[in-house]
């Protein structure tokens, strides 16, 4: 695996580690959600240049390149051509549609260059893996053959979130005097521009009037962390019914979600975001927690059809606040929605099952039969889940 080390420790040279049996080559490239988009683009291209040389020097049978950003295709294609081996490209976000939609790519030349890079990445791929049906449609819309696109979404690590120590969960709640035995809604993840975490501030403001005992905990960091904090302070909810904590290690996530009564995933309301496949959604399912979404799209349709949570998209906040307050105060609803989440995780998003599908795509690409691999992988997922729930 060739990847980047994002922490800025002053080092600039490659280093190697062994992670769960995977030999990883790390290139220090400082990167964070606090950086400007220009700084991020510079980081992307620096990694692309140096990773191309490294990847080409490592003997391989197939190249698996996972985006974002699209620039990851540069070292991947170079390594694949240099070694004369196939490449499989994974699309984790619709680039450049998203940067264009949020106004980051405004320059017409940069837009055309990004669109060319997108088509070039697909053209050089034996198969493409898309994380959602919407992403698949975006890839096909760019001119790539549909029979070579596999829909393999993010997965739920069910084993990781099962068997959480009850005592640890009780300590988590007891250590927070503002929580105790009150109902808790949790968001964990990036406080970025596209995440729109500030949406929770308005919810908290309504809850002060209609459900003052309910609590919201936001865990994470990012470009808009300070903005969300100031917004909560100005609204008079920070430290009352809305609380913000720094990011937690991944190993503590099962305890956090086990302590919550409901988990959430948020995005700003853009059509381009509705094809997203956010990890936090699948973690909530794995933990067996009801899910709150404030956006539309395939995940919202899954939540509504599986009855495993609440979709706030398209509803006025006053109505959302009241309906959510009723549901979070209803233990039977919480239990049934949580069971539905766990069922959805095991039936559609089990990590082991999806990993085997990805392995099949890679193996078939190696044999020069990427179309067959993609068609089979997409068929397994679509038939088992999308057709049943959407």
């Amino acid at each position: 695996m060739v990847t980047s080390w994002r922490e800025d420790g002053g080092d600039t040279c490659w280093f190697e580690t062994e992670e769960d049996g995977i030999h990883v080559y790390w290139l220090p490239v400082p990167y964070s959600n606090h950086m400007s988009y220009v700084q991020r683009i510079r980081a992307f291209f620096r990694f692309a240049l140096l990773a191309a040389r490294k990847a080409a020097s490592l003997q391989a049978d197939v190249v698996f390149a996972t985006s974002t950003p699209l620039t990851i295709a540069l070292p991947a294609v170079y390594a694949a051509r240099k070694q004369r081996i196939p490449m499989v490209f994974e699309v984790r976000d619709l680039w450049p549609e998203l940067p264009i939609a949020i106004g980051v790519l405004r320059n017409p030349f940069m837009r055309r260059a990004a669109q060319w890079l997108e088509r070039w990445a697909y053209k050089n791929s034996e198969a493409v893996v898309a994380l959602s049906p919407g992403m698949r449609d975006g890839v096909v819309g760019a001119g790539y053959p549909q029979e070579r696109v596999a829909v393999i979404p993010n997965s739920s690590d069910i084993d990781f979130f099962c068997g959480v120590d009850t005592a640890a969960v009780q300590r988590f709640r007891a250590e927070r005097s503002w929580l105790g035995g009150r109902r808790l809604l949790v968001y964990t993840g990036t406080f970025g521009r596209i995440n729109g975490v500030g949406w929770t501030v308005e919810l908290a403001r309504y809850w002060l009037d209609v459900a003052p005992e309910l609590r919201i905990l936001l865990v994470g960091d990012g470009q808009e962390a300070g903005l969300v904090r100031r917004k909560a302070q100005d609204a008079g909810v920070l430290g009352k019914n809305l609380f913000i904590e720094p990011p937690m290690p991944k190993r503590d996530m099962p305890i956090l979600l086990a302590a919550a009564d409901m988990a959430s995933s948020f995005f700003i309301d853009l059509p381009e975001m509705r094809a997203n496949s956010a990890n936090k959604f699948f973690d909530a399912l794995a933990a067996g927690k009801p899910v709150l979404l404030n956006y539309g799209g395939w995940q919202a349709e899954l939540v509504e059809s599986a009855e495993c949570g609440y979709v706030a998209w398209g509803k006025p906040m006053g109505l959302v606040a009241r309906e959510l307050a009723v549901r979070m105060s209803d233990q039977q609803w919480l239990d049934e929605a949580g069971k539905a989440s766990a069922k959805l995780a095991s039936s559609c998003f089990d990590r082991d099952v999806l990993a085997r599908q990805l392995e099949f795509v890679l193996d078939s690409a190696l044999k020069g039969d990427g179309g067959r691999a993609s068609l089979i992988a997409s068929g397994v997922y679509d038939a088992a889940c999308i057709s049943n729930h959407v």
Side-chain angles (χ1 to χ4, degrees), residues 79-376:
R81 288 184 175 182
K82 190 79 171 178
Q83 300 194 50
R84 297 181 179 179
I85 57 178
M87 181 184 86
V88 174
F89 192 68
E90 182 182 53
V91 179
R92 302 188 65 83
D93 275 315
L94 283 178
W95 276 52
E97 287 89 340
L98 276 179
I100 292 173
I102 62 177
V104 176
L105 280 180
R106 299 178 181 177
N107 183 288
F109 172 78
M110 292 296 293
R111 287 188 180 188
R112 288 194 295 271
Q115 290 164 345
W116 175 87
L117 181 57
E118 177 190 27
R119 293 190 295 271
W120 181 77
Y122 301 153
K123 181 181 178 180
N124 284 278
S125 302
E126 176 67 23
V128 171
V129 174
L131 265 62
S132 73
M135 292 185 198
R136 173 194 56 201
D137 295 343
V139 173
V140 174
Y144 194 77
Q146 181 169 342
E147 67 271 13
R148 291 185 174 269
V149 184
V151 178
I152 305 178
N154 280 338
S155 56
S156 294
D157 193 344
I158 298 170
D159 291 341
F160 181 67
F161 285 95
C162 286
V164 181
D165 182 13
T166 303
V169 176
Q170 292 174 343
R171 284 196 301 272
F172 180 93
R173 283 182 160 269
E175 289 168 357
R176 292 157 175 80
S177 59
W178 50 267
L179 179 55
R182 298 180 178 90
R183 304 291 193 192
L184 177 64
L185 169 67
V186 161
Y187 171 85
T188 175
T190 303
F191 289 53
R193 179 178 173 183
I194 64 172
N195 302 102
V197 183
W199 183 89
T200 60
V201 174
E202 187 178 1
L203 175 63
R205 186 171 60 81
Y206 272 92
W207 272 358
L208 281 180
D209 295 327
V210 301
E213 287 298 302
L214 297 181
R215 297 290 182 262
I216 300 173
L217 174 60
L218 311 178
V219 179
D221 197 6
Q223 192 177 40
E224 293 201 343
L227 177 63
V228 172
R229 184 177 291 275
R230 289 192 298 273
K231 186 176 179 180
Q233 184 72 55
D234 293 343
V237 298
L238 186 64
K240 291 185 179 179
N241 65 346
L242 185 145
F243 301 82
I244 302 175
E245 296 185 5
M248 291 183 178
K250 181 69 175 181
R251 63 178 181 272
D252 293 337
M253 290 304 299
I255 297 174
L256 172 62
L257 289 184
D261 295 285
M262 193 171 196
S264 61
S265 181
F266 304 126
F267 285 108
I268 57 177
D269 190 16
L270 287 176
E272 293 80 4
M273 288 305 306
R274 294 169 196 165
N276 83 87
S277 187
N279 274 321
K280 59 182 72 68
F281 172 80
F282 301 96
D283 288 348
L285 298 184
K289 294 295 175 178
V291 190
L292 165 64
L293 304 181
N294 72 338
Y295 52 88
W298 74 289
Q299 289 182 341
E301 293 169 350
L302 278 174
V303 167
E304 290 184 328
S305 61
E307 298 183 345
C308 63
Y310 181 85
V311 178
W313 182 62
K315 301 175 182 177
M317 182 57 80
L319 176 62
V320 169
R322 291 191 298 273
E323 291 186 342
L324 266 179
V326 170
R327 284 163 174 76
M328 289 193 65
S329 300
D330 184 344
Q331 188 61 54
Q332 182 177 351
W333 182 87
L334 291 172
D335 291 342
E336 291 177 354
K339 290 177 182 177
S341 286
K343 181 179 179 181
L344 189 59
S346 61
S347 63
C348 294
F349 304 113
D350 184 279
R351 177 159 295 181
D352 292 338
V353 174
L354 297 185
R356 286 194 292 271
Q357 291 184 25
L358 176 59
E359 182 181 23
F360 187 85
V361 172
L362 296 175
D363 183 63
S364 297
L366 178 60
K367 297 173 181 176
D369 198 10
R372 175 174 172 268
S374 300
L375 189 61
I376 290 176

